[in-house]
């Protein structure tokens, strides 16, 4: 008998001795046991109708000339934002950046046409 045959024979006999059918250590569950008596962690309700301040500012930004988006971007960059509210603030920051890029592009395209108009209004 070779070394492999001895090891497999040893495992077969060890598993059936005395009715002890214990799984080898490699096959045991890696997940710790869950106690059913533990209560789940309940987090506080988000402000602004439950959607969070960030998403509220994102929705309001469409109606208030994007000013809430810039406020939310400032809060995200300079303040401390809770983990659950961070996606709304990130959405506001992305929206503010997009509006800034579009506004800058449009202003640069229209500026050559606006300068003569402004000069004629002031009589220059």
């Amino acid at each position: 008998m070779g070394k492999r045959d001895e090891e497999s024979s040893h495992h077969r006999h060890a598993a059936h001795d005395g009715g002890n059918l214990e799984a080898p250590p490699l096959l045991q569950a890696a997940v710790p046991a869950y106690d059913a008596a533990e209560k789940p962690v309940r987090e506080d309700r988000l402000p602004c109708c439950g959607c969070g301040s960030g998403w509220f500012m994102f929705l309001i930004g469409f109606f208030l000339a994007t000013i809430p988006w810039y406020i939310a971007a400032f809060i995200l960059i300079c303040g401390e934002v809770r983990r659950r509210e961070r996606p709304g603030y990130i959405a506001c920051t992305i929206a503010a950046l997009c509006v800034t890029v579009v506004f800058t592009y449009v202003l640069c395209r229209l500026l050559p046409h606006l300068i003569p108009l402004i000069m004629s209004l002031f009589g220059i």
Side-chain angles (χ1 to χ4, degrees):
M1 264 173 108
K3 187 174 182 179
R4 270 186 106 158
D5 293 333
E6 289 176 15
E7 288 177 2
S8 68
S9 157
H10 172 72
H11 287 298
R12 263 187 261 128
H13 293 300
H16 294 292
D17 63 342
N20 187 6
L21 297 175
E22 195 172 314
L26 295 176
L27 299 177
Q28 290 178 350
V31 179
Y34 176 73
D35 186 14
E38 290 181 22
K39 292 183 180 178
V41 177
R42 186 171 179 106
E43 297 185 13
D44 295 335
R45 185 172 177 194
L46 291 174
C48 300
C49 303
C51 69
S53 301
W55 287 114
F56 181 74
M57 292 177 95
F58 181 74
L59 294 173
I60 295 300
F62 288 104
F63 303 107
L64 297 178
T66 71
I67 293 170
W69 295 347
Y70 292 102
I71 295 170
F74 181 76
I75 291 172
L76 179 67
I77 293 168
C78 298
E80 187 175 333
V81 179
R82 294 190 318 190
R83 176 190 54 85
R84 291 177 59 207
E85 292 196 29
R86 193 168 294 138
Y89 283 100
I90 291 172
C92 288
T93 304
I94 292 170
L97 287 173
C98 290
V99 166
T100 302
V101 168
V102 169
F103 181 74
T104 304
Y105 175 76
V106 169
L107 188 64
C108 288
R109 297 288 290 176
L110 291 178
L111 197 59
H113 303 292
L114 290 176
I115 289 176
L117 179 66
I118 293 171
M119 290 177 72
S120 67
L121 285 174
F122 290 108
I124 299 173

